[in-house]
Amino acid sequence: MEKQLDPMKDDLPLMANTSHMLVKHYTLDLDVDFKSQIIEGIIVFFFETGSRYRKTSSTDEEGCQSQFDETCKIRASEPCHIPVTDLSACSSTMEYNDFAVCGKGEKDTSDKNGNHSNGEQASGIPSSKNCCDIENHGSTDFLLVLDCCDLSVLKVEEVDVAAVADIEKFARSAKLTDASEELGNLRNQIVHELVTLPADRWKEQLYYYTRCSQAPGCGELLFTTGTWSLEIRKLGICTPRDFPHAIRIWYKTKPEGRSVTWTTDQSGRPCVYTMGSPINNRALFPCQEPPVALSTWQATVRTAARFVVLMSGENSAEPVQLQEGILSWYYYVTMPMPASTFTIAIGCWEEVKQQPFTADVQTNSDFSLPFSQADLRWHEERCGHVEYPCRFQNPAARLQTVIPYRVFAPWCLMENCKELVLQLIPQCLSAAYTTLGTHPFSRLDVLIVPSNFSSLGMASPHIIFLSQSVLPGGQHLCGARLCHEIAHAWFGLAIGARDWTEEWISEGFATYLEDIFWARAQQLSHDEVKGQQELKALLRWRRLRDEVQNSEEELQVLRPNKENTGEVSESGASVVKHGLKAEKIFLQVHYLKGYFLLRSLARAIGEASYLASLRKFVHKFHGQLVLSQDFLYMLLEDIPEQKESGLTVESIFQNWLDTSGMPKLLPDQLVLLLESLLEEKTLCPRTLQCLEKTYKLREQDAEVRHRWCELIVKHKYVPGYGDVEKFLREDQAMGVYLYGELMVNEDAKQQELAYKCFAAAQEHMDVSSAKVVAEMLF
Ligand SMILES: [Zn+2]
């Protein structure tokens, strides 16, 4: 029996019991009404029995060691039962008789006593309901829990997939009898066969998903809604295996729901879009939020003809006119992804098009391919994810430098986008390709979102939202931001975080890769790249330092769940720590600390082999969910020599991921920092004093102190002259050139210092060193 989690008010609960039932596909059928600001529709779920209840053999044994279980795939040794918060946190006064049911379907053989009317009332049930365990209240019915918030659920029913013509071919092995229990088994078996069709039959699969979603109902199901969940049961059904695997829900969004924003675009016309809310899409459609619920989807959206519907979909939808003034748009994806990545935007946007007579943008197709022999070897290996039509296995897709793209913008920003965004996208896409290889997604829409969008960009499958703030002032901000969002196609989307608290995995990588892509997109020289990237590093360092000083320590930890990362309760539910904390949204600590970790690893390993490792990581883990250690173990495995220098997964956890504050700088990083500072024309004495104090420079190794002395000389920092003197006396192996620098400045005090030190050391100095120094001094 499951004990419930007890979220704090700032934590985001993920309620869905994905270990019991796991959604494989959503079919959405929505009507969008701008007048009432309501989206009304039907969603059909296709489920698999969850990992805890799947058959392991021909016997009916229950357990978590199923042979085809993506939950256990990444870390097969993971324990299945994790103790969670004590049940005493639950109210014991709850009753559990307020399931809603409305009428009986033709084949409903079960319900005789649960019979309230429906959802609108049910949605008023207090939130304390959420921390109650149904099995304590006398019912042994299995309860399907979905993540859901601010939705009016109108009706829930079982779908009679067996009524679809020709569908029996999916269930040849099942014997068709009249007994209702057998019929239920048949339906579940059909769904099972449908969701597990091989990848090359994806078109047929989509076709039957559509047909099944339109099949008649065969009995309403009991449901109740809480603040964060929708709970569904069928009387007399006690196990997930017997629970209906195809379910249809009628529902409506609420204008105040927090998954979408109803607003106007920059030209004053109405629009609505998913704004990347902390509660994700659960106020747009009921779903299974835990990332482990990787699913495909298809959606039909109807709205007034003047609107364009953009969505996370593989196809560029062509609208179909249904009736006067109403268009219907249809999108689908075949790559399973978390429901949180589903994105939709509907507005009076226009596609920004190239003038027909302008020359094609140079797409850098002459770039040499990034693949080395070793890369090719990985490509021959099979993918590690569940089956889907993967682009990494498609030879044509693997050669596609630039995927098809479109740009949409409000009318008043069209010109701006034509000159800037439209030119930059192919450059950035091809830079990404030359760095990481195969684009995980087949196409890209870029939308300039309304001005109330709260960040500069957001990446979703097949669609990037871009803030208008990146448009003015030349290419730099726009190009860098596009590169960042494009990087998320690999890190964040194709490879997702298994534990949402480890967002550094996607943000750190995207921030690191943004620089690499953008430098390539601009076709900079090696020196220009170095200069630009070091400048960026410096700016980010200052920002990180400020944030670390001004934010709660707890929020600065990149792996808040530490060794328990990725663990969920027995049912699959969990909470995302601080997931609803408003100030966290504006913190960049996760981006920046993650970026500095990746940068320091790159410097330790060398950029070329580092990027090769990233490509290997992408190849190994695309289509899957990862934890920090999956990357770190793979990387360090490839470079055994790093172990000797003390670079281990444990040391990285300790220094970077599991602690607050700034990572302690390694000596080489300190050298780098000081060298970057040496490129500055002026540094005031206070900065130098601060630097010395912060990093205890006098106690550092000779390499660090050498740079420190150079800084002292360059900026004539008199309080540091003692350090220079000491260095010249005690570190004669490294100090020779400092004499030259002391002389070059033509500063009386510095020259005097040089003479004094030389006079003191001359006698015992190595002969050739003494000769060189003497030449500098006299
Ligand atoms: Zn693949």
Side-chain angles (χ1 to χ4, degrees):
M1 186 195 300
E2 159 107 328
K3 292 179 181 180
Q4 289 291 332
L5 300 159
D6 183 22
M8 309 288 284
K9 89 174 174 2
D10 286 332
D11 297 344
L12 175 70
L14 306 180
M15 307 287 287
N17 49 349
T18 51
S19 302
H20 300 163
M21 300 272 286
L22 196 60
V23 67
K24 303 307 281 185
H25 186 80
Y26 298 96
T27 300
L28 287 148
D29 194 35
L30 306 174
D31 285 286
V32 179
D33 181 31
F34 279 85
K35 252 189 218 132
S36 61
Q37 303 198 329
I38 283 174
I39 299 174
E40 178 165 7
I42 299 170
I43 182 168
V44 178
F45 293 75
F46 295 90
F47 288 103
E48 266 280 72
T49 307
S51 57
R52 298 190 63 79
Y53 291 86
R54 243 170 270 170
K55 291 179 189 179
T56 54
S57 63
S58 55
T59 68
D60 279 3
E61 216 176 297
E62 288 176 1
C64 60
Q65 302 300 321
S66 79
Q67 62 247 44
F68 194 67
D69 170 13
E70 50 277 65
T71 321
C72 295
K73 210 165 195 175
I74 295 169
R75 279 198 317 179
S77 58
E78 180 190 15
C80 280
H81 183 269
I82 295 112
V84 288
T85 328
D86 197 272
L87 187 65
S88 61
C90 291
S91 156
S92 56
T93 58
M94 282 302 149
E95 290 173 357
Y96 226 93
N97 56 4
D98 47 2
F99 274 98
V101 73
C102 13
K104 286 204 302 164
E106 48 186 348
K107 285 173 189 163
D108 185 2
T109 54
S110 54
D111 176 37
K112 296 286 177 281
N113 53 1
N115 38 27
H116 283 229
S117 195
N118 64 39
E120 282 294 347
Q121 291 100 318
S123 64
I125 292 166
S127 65
S128 53
K129 173 71 78 194
N130 288 326
C131 57
C132 264
D133 192 326
I134 181 172
E135 296 185 36
N136 272 354
H137 306 284
S139 168
T140 53
D141 290 343
F142 167 70
L143 199 62
L144 171 69
V145 184
L146 299 174
D147 293 291
C148 168
C149 168
D150 293 334
L151 292 178
S152 305
V153 176
L154 311 173
K155 180 172 146 186
V156 181
E157 73 176 6
E158 180 176 357
V159 181
D160 185 11
V161 293
V164 172
D166 313 327
I167 198 90
E168 314 85 61
K169 65 180 173 186
F170 289 132
R172 266 188 298 254
S173 54
K175 279 177 249 128
L176 189 58
T177 68
D178 284 335
S180 64
E181 191 188 324
E182 288 297 316
L183 201 56
N185 284 344
L186 174 69
R187 290 185 196 117
N188 283 358
Q189 200 191 336
I190 289 169
V191 175
H192 172 78
E193 297 296 324
L194 181 56
V195 301
T196 53
L197 276 183
D200 59 359
R201 291 171 70 184
W202 65 271
K203 278 187 187 161
E204 187 185 354
Q205 190 181 39
L206 268 178
Y207 170 77
Y208 278 102
Y209 277 139
T210 309
R211 296 278 308 276
C212 287
S213 71
Q214 294 159 352
C218 53
E220 293 196 12
L221 300 171
L222 307 162
F223 70 92
T224 184
T225 50
T227 308
W228 290 113
S229 65
L230 166 63
E231 298 172 340
I232 301 169
R233 69 182 168 123
K234 178 173 173 176
L235 274 187
I237 296 298
C238 307
T239 70
R241 210 182 301 144
D242 299 326
F243 194 80
H245 281 37
I247 285 178
R248 180 159 41 220
I249 299 174
W250 280 258
Y251 74 97
K252 275 181 183 181
T253 64
K254 296 180 182 175
E256 71 276 15
R258 284 168 289 160
S259 289
V260 295
T261 294
W262 300 87
T263 184
T264 49
D265 70 16
Q266 292 86 338
S267 295
R269 295 176 299 191
C271 61
V272 61
Y273 65 100
T274 42
M275 76 287 211
S277 149
I279 67 161
N280 299 311
N281 288 318
R282 57 180 79 182
L284 177 58
F285 57 90
C287 57
Q288 288 193 330
E289 273 265 62
V292 67
L294 297 171
S295 56
T296 49
W297 56 76
Q298 61 188 125
T300 305
V301 177
R302 285 171 299 273
T303 191
R306 62 191 178 124
F307 294 101
V308 175
V309 178
L310 302 175
M311 200 193 293
S312 299
E314 271 160 45
N315 56 320
S316 309
E318 288 299 328
V320 177
Q321 176 151 12
L322 289 181
Q323 64 198 71
E324 188 67 37
I326 301 284
L327 291 182
S328 168
W329 303 70
Y330 170 73
Y331 286 95
Y332 64 84
V333 299
T334 57
M335 173 180 175
M337 283 171 290
S340 58
T341 64
F342 175 94
T343 295
I344 189 168
I346 306 169
C348 303
W349 296 303
E350 284 167 57
E351 185 178 352
V352 182
K353 285 191 169 141
Q354 206 74 250
Q355 258 114 28
F357 43 82
T358 52
D360 264 359
V361 188
Q362 203 228 334
T363 55
N364 299 332
S365 52
D366 54 336
F367 266 172
S368 59
L369 290 181
F371 314 125
S372 66
Q373 281 302 101
D375 285 7
L376 289 172
R377 208 175 52 233
W378 314 324
H379 280 125
E380 282 155 20
E381 283 174 22
R382 285 183 51 79
C383 295
H385 50 73
V386 297
E387 259 206 86
Y388 65 83
C390 175
R391 289 175 53 83
F392 289 79
Q393 291 169 5
N394 176 341
R398 275 177 13 207
L399 291 173
Q400 206 172 14
T401 320
V402 175
I403 49 173
Y405 59 92
R406 304 182 298 180
V407 177
F408 289 86
W411 180 79
C412 62
L413 293 171
M414 298 282 285
E415 277 310 307
N416 217 330
C417 289
K418 195 180 291 175
E419 280 157 25
L420 191 66
V421 186
L422 208 54
Q423 313 295 322
L424 284 171
I425 292 174
Q427 293 168 15
C428 297
L429 283 172
S430 98
Y433 175 80
T434 55
T435 312
L436 292 179
T438 314
H439 288 281
F441 297 99
S442 57
R443 64 172 201 103
L444 176 66
D445 281 341
V446 173
L447 171 68
I448 307 300
V449 280
S451 50
N452 65 351
F453 188 63
S454 65
S455 83
L456 289 182
M458 184 174 93
S460 309
H462 308 286
I463 184 163
I464 286 175
F465 287 176
L466 215 51
S467 160
Q468 62 174 1
S469 303
V470 304
L471 298 179
Q475 289 197 335
H476 183 70
L477 193 55
C478 186
R481 179 47 56 164
L482 264 173
C483 286
H484 182 102
E485 304 308 337
I486 287 170
H488 277 309
W490 287 267
F491 293 93
L493 295 172
I495 302 175
R498 218 174 108 199
D499 187 317
W500 274 347
T501 59
E502 295 194 28
E503 63 178 312
W504 83 269
I505 297 177
S506 64
E507 291 308 343
F509 275 105
T511 308
Y512 175 77
L513 287 166
E514 158 193 336
D515 293 358
I516 309 265
F517 291 2
W518 182 227
R520 291 190 180 194
Q522 299 167 93
Q523 298 185 292
L524 297 180
S525 73
H526 180 76
D527 284 350
E528 288 170 319
V529 171
K530 206 169 159 248
Q532 200 178 73
Q533 293 183 353
E534 309 245 303
L535 187 59
K536 271 263 157 162
L538 241 130
L539 290 169
R540 290 184 181 129
W541 182 258
R542 294 164 65 100
R543 167 90 199 233
L544 176 59
R545 189 192 54 197
D546 291 350
E547 279 202 1
V548 161
Q549 283 165 2
N550 298 308
S551 63
E552 283 175 54
E553 278 192 17
E554 237 186 310
L555 299 182
Q556 303 166 13
V557 180
L558 301 196
R559 214 173 65 112
N561 292 334
K562 303 205 167 68
E563 63 279 5
N564 299 323
T565 190
E567 288 182 359
V568 294
S569 75
E570 194 185 341
S571 73
S574 62
V575 290
V576 179
K577 267 214 149 318
H578 311 302
L580 295 175
K581 219 175 171 105
E583 56 267 45
K584 190 170 166 287
I585 298 162
F586 299 98
L587 279 183
Q588 290 191 15
V589 171
H590 289 253
Y591 292 61
L592 298 174
K593 256 173 101 173
Y595 156 81
F596 278 108
L597 167 58
L598 295 172
R599 184 178 148 92
S600 81
L601 292 171
R603 290 188 69 90
I605 295 157
E607 190 173 276
S609 40
Y610 188 63
L611 291 178
S613 288
L614 292 194
R615 286 194 291 276
K616 182 177 166 190
F617 181 66
V618 163
H619 204 265
K620 200 169 166 190
F621 287 104
H622 72 272
Q624 299 166 71
L625 304 169
V626 299
L627 297 169
S628 302
Q629 53 262 44
D630 294 314
F631 172 68
L632 297 174
Y633 279 120
M634 192 216 77
L635 183 74
L636 295 187
E637 231 167 58
D638 283 358
I639 39 163
E641 66 274 12
Q642 292 297 329
K643 272 207 183 108
E644 286 145 37
S645 66
L647 192 61
T648 61
V649 174
E650 291 69 31
S651 71
I652 293 170
F653 282 163
Q654 208 170 44
N655 291 325
W656 288 90
L657 300 179
D658 293 356
T659 45
S660 62
M662 309 271 254
K664 224 174 100 213
L665 284 193
L666 300 170
D668 278 352
Q669 293 170 322
L670 211 43
V671 169
L672 173 71
L673 174 68
L674 298 182
E675 282 197 359
S676 311
L677 288 172
L678 271 166
E679 287 162 21
E680 297 296 304
K681 273 217 175 67
T682 52
L683 283 177
C684 69
R686 224 184 123 247
T687 308
L688 289 165
Q689 188 193 3
C690 231
L691 202 62
E692 196 283 317
K693 238 179 103 188
T694 309
Y695 298 107
K696 301 190 172 60
L697 294 175
R698 286 180 183 135
E699 297 160 26
Q700 298 291 340
D701 70 20
E703 290 282 6
V704 176
R705 282 184 290 114
H706 189 197
R707 275 33 168 227
W708 168 233
C709 287
E710 287 182 295
L711 275 171
I712 292 169
V713 175
K714 176 169 179 181
H715 299 287
K716 300 178 185 164
Y717 178 60
V718 180
Y721 284 0
D723 297 344
V724 177
E725 191 177 334
K726 190 164 179 274
F727 193 86
L728 288 176
R729 283 186 192 182
E730 295 176 6
D731 301 281
Q732 291 189 20
M734 305 176 76
V736 169
Y737 291 100
L738 263 185
Y739 280 106
E741 281 160 45
L742 281 169
M743 299 309 289
V744 160
N745 271 341
E746 300 193 345
D747 175 277
K749 253 192 198 153
Q750 292 198 349
Q751 297 192 345
E752 191 188 315
L753 183 64
Y755 293 131
K756 187 176 129 194
C757 293
F758 187 57
Q762 191 177 15
E763 218 179 304
H764 309 288
M765 225 170 170
D766 165 76
V767 180
S768 51
S769 299
K771 198 169 159 246
V772 172
V773 174
E775 276 167 20
M776 293 178 192
L777 261 56
F778 305 106

